[in-house]
Amino acid sequence: MVTRLLTNIGELLTNDPEYGDHSAVGRLRDAALVVDEERVLWVGAARDAPAADERRDAAGAGVLPGFVDSHTHLVFAGERSREFEARMAGERYDAGGIASTVAATRAASDDDLRTQCAARYSALGVAGVTTVEVKSGYALDVAGEARLVALASEVTEEVTFLGAHVVPSEFRGDREGYVALVAGEMMRACARARWVDVFCDEGAFDVDEARVVLEAGRAAGHQLRLHANQIRDIGAIELATEFDCASVDHCTHVDDVDVERLAGSSTVATLLPGAEFSTRSAYPSGRRLLDAGVTVALATDCNPGTSYVTSMSFVIALAVREMGMNVDEAVWAATRGGAAALRRDDVGHLAVGARADLVILDAPRAAHLAYRPGTPLVAEVWRARH
Amino acid sequence: MVTRLLTNIGELLTNDPEYGDHSAVGRLRDAALVVDEERVLWVGAARDAPAADERRDAAGAGVLPGFVDSHTHLVFAGERSREFEARMAGERYDAGGIASTVAATRAASDDDLRTQCAARYSALGVAGVTTVEVKSGYALDVAGEARLVALASEVTEEVTFLGAHVVPSEFRGDREGYVALVAGEMMRACARARWVDVFCDEGAFDVDEARVVLEAGRAAGHQLRLHANQIRDIGAIELATEFDCASVDHCTHVDDVDVERLAGSSTVATLLPGAEFSTRSAYPSGRRLLDAGVTVALATDCNPGTSYVTSMSFVIALAVREMGMNVDEAVWAATRGGAAALRRDDVGHLAVGARADLVILDAPRAAHLAYRPGTPLVAEVWRARH
């Protein structure tokens, strides 16, 4: 394999405390690294860099691991900008919310969905995401969810079956029937998904219903994650830690007991401030979770209803402005935190042996991601061969 | 001159109520327009479009006037990301604030300043800005301010002399002497600037000092604008309306009397939410100003200390999320409002006769600028020949 030296890096964040300043982000200045087409081979000071087949001068730019976006809903049809405008204006809007996306997605052809998903995947990629999780959840019937899982599998290995997104209108009178369908035939049709997820919150599924789906998921060999505490605290975090979910996502409303539970667990709290931005809701405190020892991830929650966000830099800027996180914590959460939320050790950091997924900034330091909000600062993305 | 037809526009905002839905943004659907290299020649329904030398299909995209960024500080050297990080962390940081930028700017060569200014100008342009105002204010001595005005003049006609940015350290004991210098020799050295501006606020210049500079500016034939009410209300808005300033910028802290004064004047209130974002300050209410009948503009305030923002889309998203403005109002403020803040009739709208400055979005509607925050949605920029 061809080896490549990237040198004259102004600031390199490795996310491994073994390196550089031994902080959580393992920061080196005047650094270099060598990769082959798959892995990081060498990390250190630029002046000590070994030779390689190719050499690239970063001209003082900042370099960090590729972003790991551990929570997206990329496969959908339609858009809901009018609903967004009505919400921002404080007006009623009764065109269906998630149901309108479900209708548009059901009606769309495979090619149409594939094209739209690819455009969003590309927008994420240009903005520095090198690992992405993609959920189903906008079909809510057996064949449709299987189709969304198949389409998601075309762009990532991190596919999540979210049949338990909301109860579709045709099951309004039979919630139990829908939960049984999700936990049975629908889950079997989506067997290729690595993850099973449930939206366990007010207006979605309650703890008992979520438990049925999680138990079935575990029994079928899936790994588990949960949407929870976005709207209200209905006890979902206890459920998430009981099932050792890899991540519990949103965590907007959490009490001290929940925070302690998370801190004592291996469940990551994934914060999605794009959703609070786009719904004008109060932001969760990243600071409080971090101070308690909880592992925090940041993700885009890219979806057409509540967070049509494809920029992890924007998410980082919000985390710093609104959630009490410093830049290092936010960048870590958007990279290594996302990897932890996917129970991945090979991405989200740049230690020797990690995947050669990295971002070269059009800026000398990662701090510019928050300091220059709204400006696309990802100059180049290097991705390991799969 | 070559004529060019842009057709199949999904949503065209003309910012002229003569067109389309007769709202302030003059919205047309399924529209087309014809331009030559300088002006808009025709606007209407796609089906009625006349022939032109060239034809371009917008494929349903949204089209709007190019952004008019009426408040920037593009010519500076250095960066202050560490100061930003300290501020976000609530820590003291005593490396000088504006003074550190003044020191770096004074020390930089013309070529260095030119290159850095060009990079920021290009970032604004890629993000859809077609008219930009650029201030001096980081030299604060006669030759240095003249140099910044000359460099700014290389990229725009809308150049502002801001010798009255802060009192430089060498005049700490002689504020009166500095004001006299600004209003005299320094202003004469900056005679080519169209505008004279004063930072009239706590910690900068008081109303009496600002009056000296504004009077000299008026006498020398400059047009006037003011930074005011960012930190505190010290009576600057009364001063701005008394001098018929084209714009009073920031307006973060305004009382009801100020709002009434603005509504009864031809002075625009230019809001700069990038500054509130980057200093974690409370946002001004665009809603309150609009409801009172004040003309509101939005601008980036691009500067290295308090708003290193080069995306008008980001500013629009903040205005919608944080300042009670709807999307139409925010887009108008970022285009026609900016033009009003520069007392320009030829830009900021797309009526027949206006400059052919426009933005084609990678989205069907301008609402996506707020609905998809952080995502660069400006696909293409058309600029009139100067």
Side-chain angles (χ1 to χ4, degrees), chain A residues 50-66:
Chain A
D53 299 328
E54 297 173 3
R55 182 179 189 280
R56 170 66 186 283
D57 190 322
V63 170
L64 58 152

Side-chain angles (χ1 to χ4, degrees), chain A residues 85 304 310 320 365 371 375, chain B residues 85 280 304 310 320 365 371 375:
Chain A
E85 288 185 279
T310 52
V320 171
R365 311 176 56 219
Y371 171 51
T375 298
Chain B
E85 288 186 279
R280 204 184 277 134
T310 53
V320 171
R365 309 177 56 220
Y371 171 52
T375 298

Side-chain angles (χ1 to χ4, degrees), chain A residues 11 29 76 78-82 84-85 87-89 120 123 274 276-283 303-305 307-311 314 317-328 364-365 367-368 370-376, chain B residues 11 29 76 78-82 84-85 87-89 120 123 274 276-283 303-305 307-311 314 317-328 364-365 367-368 370-376:
Chain A
E11 177 195 76
R29 300 199 199 278
F76 63 85
E79 58 101 328
R80 285 153 60 190
S81 60
R82 285 181 177 78
F84 169 81
E85 288 185 279
R87 183 166 62 237
M88 287 295 119
R120 291 164 203 135
E276 279 83 27
F277 187 92
S278 302
T279 59
R280 204 183 278 133
S281 309
Y283 293 91
N303 82 78
S307 180
Y308 203 157
V309 169
T310 52
S311 165
F314 177 68
L318 288 180
V320 171
R321 169 57 161 82
E322 305 288 356
M323 291 157 56
M325 295 169 72
N326 66 40
V327 173
D328 284 356
R365 311 176 56 219
H368 282 234
Y371 171 51
R372 300 172 62 179
T375 298
Chain B
E11 176 194 75
R29 300 199 200 277
F76 63 86
E79 58 101 329
R80 285 153 59 190
S81 61
R82 285 181 176 79
F84 169 82
E85 288 186 279
R87 183 167 62 237
M88 287 294 118
R120 292 165 203 134
E276 279 82 27
F277 188 93
S278 301
T279 59
R280 204 184 277 134
S281 308
Y283 293 90
N303 81 79
S307 181
Y308 203 158
V309 169
T310 53
S311 164
F314 177 68
L318 289 181
V320 171
R321 169 58 162 80
E322 304 289 357
M323 292 158 56
M325 294 169 74
N326 66 40
V327 174
D328 284 355
R365 309 177 56 220
H368 282 235
Y371 171 52
R372 300 172 63 179
T375 298

Side-chain angles (χ1 to χ4, degrees), chain B residues 14-367:
Chain B
T14 62
N15 280 347
D16 188 323
E18 193 186 313
Y19 296 94
D21 66 358
H22 305 298
S23 69
V25 296
R27 182 194 327 273
L28 290 92
R29 300 199 200 277
D30 304 317
L33 89 178
V34 178
V35 301
D36 63 19
E37 288 147 57
E38 293 176 356
R39 300 280 160 178
V40 177
L41 302 179
W42 184 91
V43 174
R47 64 179 175 281
D48 301 329
D53 299 329
E54 297 173 4
R55 182 180 190 280
R56 169 66 186 284
D57 190 323
V63 170
L64 58 153
F67 296 122
V68 178
D69 188 356
S70 62
H71 185 136
T72 82
H73 305 251
L74 288 196
V75 197
F76 63 86
E79 58 101 329
R80 285 153 59 190
S81 61
R82 285 181 176 79
E83 175 186 326
F84 169 82
E85 288 186 279
R87 183 167 62 237
M88 287 294 118
E91 291 162 7
R92 276 184 67 91
Y93 187 83
D94 294 325
I98 287 179
S100 73
T101 298
V102 170
T105 303
R106 285 176 174 178
S109 70
D110 288 2
D111 271 354
D112 201 12
L113 287 172
R114 187 176 283 123
T115 304
Q116 295 188 46
C117 176
R120 292 165 203 134
Y121 180 78
S122 163
L124 286 168
V126 166
V129 171
T130 49
T131 302
V132 62
E133 181 261 18
V134 179
K135 299 177 199 299
S136 73
Y138 289 123
L140 309 180
D141 55 32
V142 173
E145 286 293 306
R147 178 168 81 130
L148 298 185
V149 163
L151 288 164
S153 300
E154 294 178 11
V155 300
T156 186
E157 293 166 6
E158 301 294 348
V159 176
T160 297
F161 166 54
L162 181 62
H165 197 185
V166 290
V167 175
S169 55
E170 58 270 32
F171 279 89
R172 201 166 288 152
D174 182 19
R175 297 180 63 87
E176 204 178 333
Y178 187 67
V179 170
L181 181 67
V182 168
E185 188 187 350
M186 197 186 287
M187 193 180 289
R188 285 192 296 277
C190 295
R192 69 195 291 174
R194 179 179 177 204
W195 302 94
V196 164
D197 191 354
V198 180
F199 187 10
C200 180
D201 211 323
E202 187 173 272
F205 296 88
D206 67 25
V207 167
D208 292 337
E209 292 165 338
R211 178 182 297 277
V212 172
V213 177
L214 292 180
E215 275 175 352
R218 182 162 63 184
H222 294 284
Q223 290 193 268
L224 306 177
R225 48 205 314 108
L226 216 57
H227 280 66
N229 297 50
Q230 177 183 12
I231 312 301
R232 206 164 68 79
D233 181 0
I234 61 165
I237 286 180
E238 186 173 6
L239 184 72
T241 55
E242 178 193 332
F243 277 82
D244 188 30
C245 287
S247 177
V248 58
D249 296 28
H250 284 294
C251 295
T252 312
H253 303 279
V254 290
D255 64 21
D256 289 346
V257 177
D258 285 337
V259 172
E260 248 178 82
R261 269 199 191 98
L262 287 169
S265 76
S266 53
T267 299
V268 171
T270 299
L271 307 182
L272 308 165
E276 279 82 27
F277 188 93
S278 301
T279 59
R280 204 184 277 134
S281 308
Y283 293 90
S285 170
R287 182 79 270 131
R288 175 186 178 207
L289 293 164
L290 289 167
D291 286 347
V294 177
T295 301
V296 172
L298 289 167
T300 62
D301 193 13
C302 180
N303 81 79
T306 56
S307 181
Y308 203 158
V309 169
T310 53
S311 164
M312 288 291 276
S313 301
F314 177 68
V315 171
I316 287 168
L318 289 181
V320 171
R321 169 58 162 80
E322 304 289 357
M323 292 158 56
M325 294 169 74
N326 66 40
V327 174
D328 284 355
E329 290 163 341
V331 170
W332 191 96
T335 49
R336 189 129 205 190
L342 295 172
R343 300 235 160 128
R344 293 274 296 265
D345 266 339
D346 56 334
V347 297
H349 65 110
L350 292 171
V352 169
R355 284 174 61 88
D357 290 338
L358 62 85
V359 161
I360 306 173
L361 299 178
D362 184 14
R365 309 177 56 220

